[in-house]
Structure formats: C-alpha cells, structure tokens
Amino acid sequence: MAGRRTTDEGGEAGLDRAFLALADPVRRALVARLSLGPLTVGELAAPHPISLQAISQHIRVLEEAGLVSRTRDAQRRPVHLEPARLEELTAWIDRYRLAAEQRFRTLDALLATPPAMPTEEPPS
C-alpha cells in the first residue's frame, strides 16, 4: 500500500529489495503492464499461465519493495506503479552510468588528440 514504506527503503536494504523484486521476469512483466495504467490482480494475471494466487504473491513482493501500491475503487483494488520508487532506482544506476560515460569521454578526447611529434635534435 502507498505510505507503507519502511524507514530503510531509500537505503541499501531498500535497493536490494527493489532490485531483487525486479530480478523475476514475471514481476518485470507486471511492472511493464502497470506502466500503461492501474490494473486489478485479475487483469494482471490474464496473460500469465500461473495462478491468481501466484500473481498476488508477485504483487505482494513488488509492494514490499515499494514498486507498486493498491488502492480501493468501490469493489476493485487496482494496483498502481510507484514511479517515484522507480526513479530512485534509475538515479542509483545513473550515478554509475554517468561516471562510466565520463571516463569514456576522457578516453575519446585523449584518442582524438594527435600524438606529439618528437623533436629532432641535431647530432652533436
């Protein structure tokens, strides 16, 4: 549920929990479908050849990782993607991606610089 986050979700344990949740292909597929809009558990389960209970368990793992939340809409309990949590994961990845890109730009600049020609000194 939204607002049911632990105090450490932004820390290393929270990152571990979120990346571990996304390590499962079914959970990644659920996140991909939820990126199009909120869906019920039944709607999320439809394309998967696994039980509704298994899908509910996957959603529970995603919920505990802070990646999705559920709300109540009359008789429906749609599942929503938590974009802020995904942004936290993206920011963590970007920190290292940007550092690697900076190293490549430095190497590109070094390789684009013509080599210095040795100066010939007259024989003595």
Side-chain angles (χ1 to χ4, degrees):
M1 287 189 178
R4 198 175 69 167
R5 297 179 141 197
T6 64
T7 56
D8 190 46
E9 278 191 352
E12 290 293 319
L15 283 172
D16 291 349
R17 194 173 20 257
F19 283 120
L20 185 62
L22 293 173
D24 185 279
V26 171
R27 290 184 210 131
R28 286 195 306 274
L30 295 175
V31 167
R33 293 201 61 214
L34 288 169
S35 70
L36 303 175
L39 295 168
T40 63
V41 173
E43 292 167 333
L44 284 167
H48 298 281
I50 57 178
S51 70
L52 203 59
Q53 290 78 18
I55 291 294
S56 290
Q57 179 60 36
H58 284 297
I59 291 170
R60 193 171 6 263
V61 170
L62 291 170
E63 244 180 330
E64 289 171 2
L67 295 165
V68 301
S69 62
R70 294 185 213 199
T71 56
R72 182 166 297 282
D73 179 18
Q75 298 297 320
R76 301 178 72 227
R77 292 208 58 212
V79 180
H80 304 262
L81 196 59
E82 290 292 333
R85 185 68 170 152
L86 290 174
E87 181 64 31
E88 291 171 12
L89 300 178
T90 302
W92 184 87
I93 291 169
D94 277 351
R95 186 172 16 157
Y96 299 104
R97 181 185 57 81
L98 293 172
E101 285 180 2
Q102 180 58 44
R103 285 195 309 275
F104 285 126
R105 280 194 293 274
T106 302
L107 179 60
D108 284 346
L110 181 66
L111 293 174
T113 305
M117 300 298 286
T119 56
E120 292 188 27
E121 294 184 21
S124 47

